[in-house]
Amino acid sequence: MAELPEVLGVVYPVSEEIISNIFNKRKNIFLKFTTHEPNKKTKIRLKNGSKLYFYKSGGSKIIIGDSTIVRFEYLPLPEILSKYKTKMVVTEEELMRYSAGREYKKILVITISNPRKFKSTIKLSKPITMAGLYITPENKDRILKKWKK
């Protein structure tokens, strides 16, 4: 089997409210259901120090900022609420709606630091799906080419 490319970061779509919670309310626990939970046969491609890019959902097709991934883990819903309730980028009620029908599935919990909004947003040619998009050495320049720090 071919080796998968190194992951430098991941782009996930986020709502305007989540963007506000990250940048204005200093919430630093990002939650995401993934297609499947890693197991002994699958390797987690994210790593501490990778970037989490914020893609503004709703049709604008822009990346508005990023943050550094400090830690990531897969946790069940009750443990997330007991450990991170006040630090989540969503409210408890929003998390319960997001989790409806998946209450027993583990959630990817990403602790972020140093969130920053870009001076100039990155306009993408195609929308990002809820699955997100990995940024690798092979696609970084193509995806982030218009970025001005």
Side-chain angles (χ1 to χ4, degrees), residues 72-138:
F72 60 93
E73 56 194 325
Y74 281 83
L75 296 175
L77 187 56
E79 190 171 343
I80 293 168
L81 291 171
S82 71
K83 286 174 82 171
Y84 299 119
K85 187 176 183 176
T86 62
K87 298 177 181 180
M88 300 183 309
V89 300
V90 294
T91 65
E92 181 178 357
E93 296 77 29
E94 291 166 331
L95 178 58
M96 298 312 285
R97 280 194 306 274
Y98 177 60
S99 302
R102 306 181 278 192
E103 295 87 352
Y104 300 104
K105 184 177 179 186
K106 289 186 178 179
I107 302 171
L108 173 60
V109 179
I110 301 174
T111 304
I112 59 173
S113 70
N114 303 319
R116 62 184 177 156
K117 281 189 179 178
F118 297 151
K119 291 176 187 168
S120 174
T121 60
I122 302 168
K123 180 79 172 165
L124 302 179
S125 59
K126 294 189 248 177
I128 301 292
T129 69
M130 292 307 288
L133 173 69
Y134 284 127
I135 303 294
T136 66
E138 291 79 16

Side-chain angles (χ1 to χ4, degrees), residues 30-78:
F30 186 86
L31 307 168
K32 180 77 180 144
F33 276 109
T34 57
T35 308
H36 61 273
E37 186 182 334
N39 57 40
K40 291 178 183 178
K41 292 183 180 182
T42 60
K43 183 179 176 187
I44 297 175
R45 296 178 62 204
L46 285 178
K47 61 183 181 228
N48 295 342
S50 296
K51 291 291 183 180
L52 173 60
Y53 294 92
F54 306 115
Y55 172 83
K56 186 177 176 184
S57 61
S60 59
K61 295 192 274 190
I62 58 172
I63 297 174
I64 59 104
D66 70 3
S67 65
T68 302
I69 296 172
V70 176
R71 171 185 164 139
F72 60 93
E73 56 194 325
Y74 281 83
L75 296 175
L77 187 56

